Amino acid sequence: MSEHGRSRWVFPPWVNQLRVVAGVALVVIPVYLVVLVGFGASPRTTDVGYAPEQPVPYSHALHVGQLGLDCRYCHNTVEEAAKAAIPPTQTCMNCHARIRAASPKLLSVRESYATGMPIPWVRVHDLPDYVYFDHSAHVRRGVGCVSCHGRVDTMEVVQQVEPLSMGWCLDCHRNPDPHLRPPELVTSMDWVPPEKPEVYGRRLREQLGIRPSTDCGTCHR
Amino acid sequence: MPRSLKYALAVIAVLALLPLALVAKARVATSPRPRVHLIFDMDNQPKFKAQSANPLFADGRAMRLPVPGTVARGTLVPQEVATGRKGVQWLEVIPVPVDRQLLLRGQERYNIFCAPCHGYSGYGDGAVQRRAERLEEGTWTPVASFHTETARARPVGYIFNAITNGVRTMPPYGAQIPVEDRWAIVAYVKALQRSQWATLADVPKEVRPQLEVRMREHDGTR
């Protein structure tokens, strides 16, 4: 057998370098995967920032930020019911029968009002169907709207700003103090506690007897 | 190492950065596209929740509208309380107990539902009124003040009915505000009216001197 023929069956010298490459890969690939899945699959990546286009370009920045409407003018079920209801078209028409009554942006509102068909608003904050969140329980105990929904009064298009994940819920259920405020100020968007949030919230929690549960059955039935 | 292998490794290393870049973008940017759902579990179950859509019905509502005139269980109140009138006469006295609690509730509800047009003091200068003025569209009727002689003479039943069914160009708020809250608002409106026409005799004796000083400073007379 010729010299050349035999070398086909022997690893060339550069293969030794592959050991280094393999060694590096063995460290880098697991780290890479952990980082990718850890960040990529986090609700802060997949859910936060969801800002669907709505059938009517309703601006919270105008109605809440500039005009100062209270959240409850439209979402008037929030203190009594689990769901902060999307208002019926009648609520829009309270004003828009006479203000911007011919605006093309409001066409589908007028159509809905005339035909009785609901406006197909797109839900922004959507929890899994096995979670039974109750707005009234939170709002009446002084968890501000802004704590979960962010500065809605500055949003032209509403977007999700918090992950709404189970870990995120539990963070607050385990330590609610920094998120509590006097219940009559829940809808204020720019309220700041008069002292350190933990101290102020703790006093409120003790006054109002707030004991958030972390039992499974509190949210899952 | 052959050059081709070196290039291949370099390309893989660069491509591996792409998912990281996409993740980084998803974390800082907003998106109108539906959320990425990695694990479905039972996130979306074949059931209908409040305000969800049901294609079985012509109007697409999963929640059916109650028959007009339906009274929910436990919410039946006497006719006078529900309408603000006795026969054809407006009630002159609020038919529920008026206390500090009711007035505070009324103030809160007034500030939510009424103040946008009527203004926090009831002069008809709310933010919506002011915006309508600026827009000058010619379709807006200026909001009435609560502090005119006519408004002050209105019986409480009339005010209650105006909230419930609307009056002139004001829309009805009966569907938005429960009966008890409407009476609370009526009580608060009456308090607002009183506050703007109060005399020194209405002020408790202990605080009168303080107020007199303030009034002299202000050169006010009322």
Side-chain angles (χ1 to χ4, degrees):
Chain A
M1 212 179 269
S2 72
E3 184 75 6
H4 176 75
R6 202 164 52 240
S7 74
R8 280 178 62 210
W9 308 102
V10 174
F11 284 118
W14 62 260
V15 170
N16 287 345
Q17 293 174 338
L18 281 186
R19 284 192 308 185
V20 183
V21 175
V24 170
L26 217 60
V27 176
V28 169
I29 290 176
V31 170
Y32 173 81
L33 288 177
V34 165
V35 169
L36 185 65
V37 174
F39 280 92
S42 147
R44 287 196 187 274
T45 308
T46 56
D47 290 28
V48 170
Y50 177 49
E53 198 186 324
Q54 300 289 352
V56 181
Y58 175 85
S59 163
H60 279 83
L62 170 65
H63 291 83
V64 184
Q66 281 185 45
L67 294 177
L69 289 184
D70 190 282
C71 310
R72 293 166 290 188
Y73 182 90
C74 300
H75 306 291
N76 62 336
T77 63
V78 72
E79 292 166 304
E80 308 294 332
K83 193 179 155 108
I86 300 300
T89 306
Q90 167 68 52
T91 304
C92 310
M93 293 302 279
N94 280 353
C95 298
H96 289 295
R98 291 179 175 276
I99 295 182
R100 295 281 191 228
S103 163
K105 286 184 189 171
L106 290 163
L107 188 64
S108 44
V109 173
R110 291 193 297 273
E111 261 176 25
S112 161
Y113 192 63
T115 60
M117 291 292 284
I119 301 171
W121 297 104
V122 182
R123 188 162 188 167
V124 182
H125 302 85
D126 194 11
L127 294 175
D129 282 359
Y130 47 81
V131 178
Y132 294 82
F133 176 82
D134 191 321
H135 274 92
S136 69
H138 292 83
V139 168
R140 286 182 172 200
R141 283 169 181 77
V143 180
C145 307
V146 74
S147 293
C148 305
H149 295 287
R151 288 299 297 266
V152 176
D153 62 327
T154 63
M155 296 181 193
E156 283 294 336
V157 177
V158 172
Q159 65 173 88
Q160 183 175 334
V161 296
E162 295 291 346
L164 308 185
S165 64
M166 182 164 143
W168 175 83
C169 292
L170 281 173
D171 281 346
C172 188
H173 271 238
R174 287 180 180 138
N175 177 28
D177 295 354
H179 307 286
L180 293 177
R181 55 173 77 195
E184 60 271 21
L185 297 173
V186 279
T187 57
S188 169
M189 285 280 133
D190 52 6
W191 180 82
V192 278
E195 54 189 313
K196 268 187 78 181
E198 298 81 24
V199 182
Y200 188 75
R202 187 177 168 185
R203 194 166 330 117
L204 276 176
R205 175 166 58 79
E206 282 162 4
Q207 265 171 25
L208 301 171
I210 295 170
R211 298 177 306 277
S213 164
T214 50
D215 294 345
C216 310
T218 304
C219 311
H220 305 296
R221 299 180 212 145
Chain B
M1 211 187 297
R3 201 168 269 179
S4 58
L5 194 59
K6 276 186 190 164
Y7 285 152
L9 284 175
V11 168
I12 289 170
V14 171
L15 284 180
L17 292 177
L18 206 66
L20 289 179
L22 288 174
V23 165
K25 179 177 173 271
R27 279 178 89 87
V28 292
T30 64
S31 164
R33 282 193 304 274
R35 276 165 284 227
V36 181
H37 234 80
L38 294 169
I39 300 165
F40 270 82
D41 286 341
M42 292 168 75
D43 287 359
N44 294 302
Q45 300 168 10
K47 67 178 181 186
F48 299 108
K49 301 202 290 186
Q51 294 197 312
S52 58
N54 182 343
L56 281 179
F57 295 104
D59 63 1
R61 288 182 176 93
M63 293 164 80
R64 307 312 301 153
L65 296 174
V67 176
T70 305
V71 178
R73 274 169 62 163
T75 63
L76 187 65
V77 290
Q79 198 67 15
E80 287 162 43
V81 178
T83 60
R85 46 176 127 207
K86 190 172 187 139
V88 291
Q89 288 288 309
W90 297 121
L91 292 185
E92 298 280 348
V93 178
I94 295 174
V96 294
V98 178
D99 52 14
R100 189 178 163 76
Q101 207 61 38
L102 188 85
L103 279 172
L104 287 174
R105 176 77 181 172
Q107 179 180 41
E108 189 189 57
R109 298 295 119 172
Y110 176 92
N111 289 346
I112 296 171
F113 293 107
C114 315
C117 287
H118 288 284
Y120 289 103
S121 320
Y123 281 98
D125 56 352
V128 173
Q129 160 70 25
R130 279 180 276 128
R131 180 162 168 86
E133 257 169 46
R134 277 198 306 277
L135 293 176
E136 293 181 337
E137 294 179 312
T139 45
W140 181 258
T141 317
V143 179
S145 166
F146 291 141
H147 305 301
T148 59
E149 290 283 359
T150 346
R152 289 172 62 224
R154 299 286 195 206
V156 291
Y158 175 92
I159 304 174
F160 179 86
N161 182 68
I163 302 172
T164 311
N165 299 313
V167 59
R168 290 185 297 277
T169 54
M170 173 177 150
Y173 278 79
Q176 241 165 310
I177 313 173
V179 171
E180 323 79 269
D181 284 348
R182 271 177 260 156
W183 282 116
I185 291 173
V186 171
Y188 183 67
V189 168
K190 281 286 157 196
L192 264 187
Q193 288 178 331
R194 180 92 187 267
S195 74
Q196 300 302 304
W197 290 76
T199 62
L200 205 54
D202 293 319
V203 180
K205 268 206 182 85
E206 324 70 272
V207 290
R208 256 182 236 172
Q210 257 175 287
L211 195 63
E212 275 167 338
V213 173
R214 292 277 293 278
M215 281 164 71
R216 240 172 281 132
E217 281 170 6
H218 243 275
D219 201 27
T221 44
R222 209 167 59 194

